[in-house]
Amino acid sequence: MPRSAVGILGIGAAVPEKVLTNADLEKIVDTSDEWITTRTGIKERRIAEEAEAASHFAVRAASKAIEDAGLMPEDIDMIICATVTPDMPFPATACLVQDRLGIKNVPAFDLSAGCSGFTYALAVGTQMAQGDYEHVLVIGVDILSRITDYSDRSTCVLFGDGAGAAVLGPVPEGYGVLAVDLGADGSGAEHLQLPAGGSLRPPSLKTISQREQYIKMAGREVFKFAVRVMESSTKTVLEKAGISAQDVSWFVPHQANIRIIESAANRLSVPMERFVVNVDRYGNTSSGSIGIALDELARSGSLSDGDYVVLVGFGAGLAWASALLRWYERGENRG
Ligand code: COA
């Protein structure tokens, strides 16, 4: 159990203006709206403009989260940015965000945990906020359109761009992050990867000609893994806190595929109405997804003080992460 209660004080999200619909994709690859909708639940996704990078959306989401928390940028004591598409391999995107928000002399670092990134960062940030850092800004952001192969119909229909952010800080006892479950199984790493651009296969004419700068995925393997860990990781956080799935008001799953979410709901015997779904409008935004979905939930007015909320993510690693929160509603700025 946490030494002192830490929870979400404010939340924000930012997505690009530009919409890429299934009809648009029908013009690019051999696919159909009908195939994409029935296999994934996705209707459209947001795509960043050429001049926009991860930091742009991270800054926007973070600014909203800080305002929502009723704080000023100078109140932030640490920045953790989860991303697999940083502006550059280094410096950390968290440092770029820090500078643009005018935050001085606080630790800022990136965290790579694929689509589990936001929840991983939330778990790490919670520990930090229980220690020396009162207010921790946690961001999940990805610009997957930059690493998506728009000639590969099996992946290009899935991904989109966006950011979610949360400010963590002290909340009354009994509220906030009650339990987390983090895990990874590197033996499945090959199922979801960006082969080139790192130290193993630095960018070269050869890697580019082989299109290795784009996401490679074994869809069925990832699907099976996702369904399994959504159930097991959710059950683990609930058991840790002694809460039953029936007591949970909202499940905020990683938005990868409606069929994965439906399978999890089925396995947990929870009605779909308690799962937040926006994959139809944004596709899979990786580290951005859970923060964006939680922000929509909070702003919809459907979250009440004291509600139990489960965040559950899965993805590259293969890694997974869940968190059980008891929602603390400050309420002053939301809406
Ligand atoms: N449009 C039309 N047909 C497509 C297509 C597309 N966009 N993409 C693949 N297909 C075809 C395949 O070529 C295959 O054709 P074939 O049977 O003639 O070979 C057929 O559809 C079935 O492909 P398959 O890969 O078995 O489909 P699927 O039901 O497994 O669905 C995914 C594919 C990618 C939607 C699904 O596996 C999935 O969502 N996996 C998880 C991916 C994920 O969430 N990744 C991120 C995790 S963070």
Side-chain angles (χ1 to χ4, degrees), residues 25 29-33 35-36 39-40 42 114-116 144 152-159 191-192 215 217-226 254-260 284 286 313-316 318-319:
L25 284 164
V29 287
D30 180 15
T31 191
S32 64
D33 174 46
W35 192 97
I36 302 170
R39 296 291 178 116
T40 72
I42 301 168
C115 304
S116 312
L144 291 183
D152 175 6
R153 69 176 183 173
S154 70
T155 55
C156 75
V157 300
L158 302 175
F159 302 119
H191 296 316
L192 184 49
I215 298 169
M217 184 180 72
R220 280 187 198 178
E221 296 305 322
V222 176
F223 194 102
K224 281 187 276 180
F225 159 78
H254 171 46
Q255 306 287 314
N257 184 320
I258 190 70
R259 290 189 293 139
I260 294 174
N284 179 348
S286 191
F314 55 87
L318 296 171

Side-chain angles (χ1 to χ4, degrees), residues 58-334:
V59 166
R60 283 179 219 163
S63 299
K64 290 182 189 170
I66 294 167
E67 194 190 335
D68 188 41
L71 297 173
M72 300 296 285
E74 54 267 32
D75 297 320
I76 299 298
D77 302 302
M78 172 178 280
I79 303 172
I80 307 174
C81 182
T83 184
V84 296
T85 49
D87 284 26
M88 296 165 263
F90 69 86
T93 296
C95 298
L96 305 177
V97 171
Q98 177 198 29
D99 182 51
R100 276 195 236 144
L101 291 176
I103 302 172
K104 306 281 182 213
N105 296 327
V106 305
F109 60 95
D110 286 0
L111 182 157
S112 169
C115 304
S116 312
F118 183 81
T119 316
Y120 253 80
L122 182 113
V124 173
T126 299
Q127 296 272 317
M128 293 295 180
Q130 284 163 0
D132 293 341
Y133 304 92
E134 187 179 358
H135 296 126
V136 178
L137 172 62
V138 166
I139 304 163
V141 58
D142 270 310
I143 307 298
L144 291 183
S145 61
R146 295 286 145 74
I147 55 168
T148 295
D149 186 347
Y150 288 97
S151 69
D152 175 6
R153 69 176 183 173
S154 70
T155 55
C156 75
V157 300
L158 302 175
F159 302 119
D161 303 336
V167 176
L168 304 177
V171 292
E173 282 308 317
Y175 284 91
V177 181
L178 303 183
V180 297
D181 173 53
L182 304 182
D185 175 8
S187 70
E190 64 184 346
H191 296 316
L192 184 49
Q193 58 178 215
L194 188 68
S199 57
L200 181 66
R201 297 180 71 71
S204 67
L205 289 177
K206 187 171 171 211
T207 61
I208 288 173
S209 69
Q210 293 174 345
R211 307 185 78 74
E212 290 179 351
Q213 74 276 34
Y214 296 126
I215 298 169
K216 301 281 183 266
M217 184 180 72
R220 280 187 198 178
E221 296 305 322
V222 176
F223 194 102
K224 281 187 276 180
F225 159 78
V227 167
R228 185 162 42 80
V229 296
M230 287 261 289
E231 179 189 12
S232 60
S233 187
T234 299
K235 284 185 170 166
T236 301
V237 276
L238 293 174
E239 272 163 29
K240 279 188 183 181
I243 303 287
S244 97
Q246 275 56 48
D247 296 330
V248 175
S249 300
W250 294 103
F251 292 82
V252 186
H254 171 46
Q255 306 287 314
N257 184 320
I258 190 70
R259 290 189 293 139
I260 294 174
I261 299 173
E262 285 169 352
S263 297
N266 194 26
R267 282 167 170 237
L268 292 162
S269 305
V270 171
M272 268 301 278
E273 295 75 55
R274 281 197 270 146
F275 277 74
V276 176
V277 174
N278 65 13
V279 69
D280 51 324
R281 285 173 290 127
Y282 302 118
N284 179 348
T285 55
S286 191
S287 307
S289 117
I290 288 180
I292 295 170
L294 185 61
D295 177 74
E296 284 198 350
L297 177 66
R299 285 175 202 281
S300 72
S302 310
L303 261 179
S304 304
D305 187 75
D307 277 357
Y308 290 109
V309 180
V310 168
L311 315 182
V312 52
F314 55 87
L318 296 171
W320 62 90
S322 297
L324 171 67
L325 318 175
R326 186 153 173 258
W327 192 251
Y328 175 58
E329 182 57 70
R330 291 178 52 262
E332 293 150 33
N333 297 310
R334 282 208 182 95

